[in-house]
Amino acid sequence: MIEPAPGRIAALFSERLAVLKLRQAALKSKRCRLGPEQKAFCPEAFLSVVAEKLAYTSTMFINIELLEQFFYQVRVDFNRLCEPDS
């Protein structure tokens, strides 16, 4: 396996650090510190809600896909069992 160049790794860490510092600054902002009634203005609260919604939606999608596969397989097996022997 090819290792990424140390410069590329440093750039990725630098970008990640910048994002984390930005998020930390947002959490320390006056709007986020005002309490739960100001959650709509706090970006971290918004990101949390979006993450929860995405997790719920993906779970529902997976469940629907699994159910569809299950019912399709039941139909195929039922048709195979009901066919007269030839």
Side-chain angles (χ1 to χ4, degrees):
M1 184 154 85
I2 299 173
E3 292 287 324
R8 179 171 279 179
I9 292 172
L12 290 174
F13 282 146
S14 178
E15 290 173 12
R16 181 70 178 145
L17 181 63
V19 170
L20 289 174
K21 283 183 179 180
L22 182 67
R23 290 176 72 181
Q24 184 181 28
L27 284 174
K28 289 181 178 180
S29 71
K30 188 174 181 179
R31 281 190 153 171
C32 280
R33 287 184 292 147
L34 289 176
E37 62 275 358
Q38 296 295 323
K39 269 192 169 180
F41 299 109
C42 185
E44 287 298 314
F46 174 75
L47 289 175
S48 176
V49 170
V50 169
E52 288 176 17
K53 184 66 176 172
L54 284 173
Y56 174 78
T57 304
S58 63
T59 302
M60 293 302 295
F61 177 77
I62 290 169
N63 287 340
I64 290 169
E65 288 294 315
L66 290 172
L67 282 173
E68 180 199 8
Q69 181 64 31
F70 171 76
F71 286 123
Y72 173 78
Q73 194 60 43
V74 166
R75 218 174 31 238
V76 167
D77 291 343
F78 182 77
N79 287 340
R80 186 176 43 84
L81 291 172
C82 291
E83 287 179 353
D85 292 333
S86 6

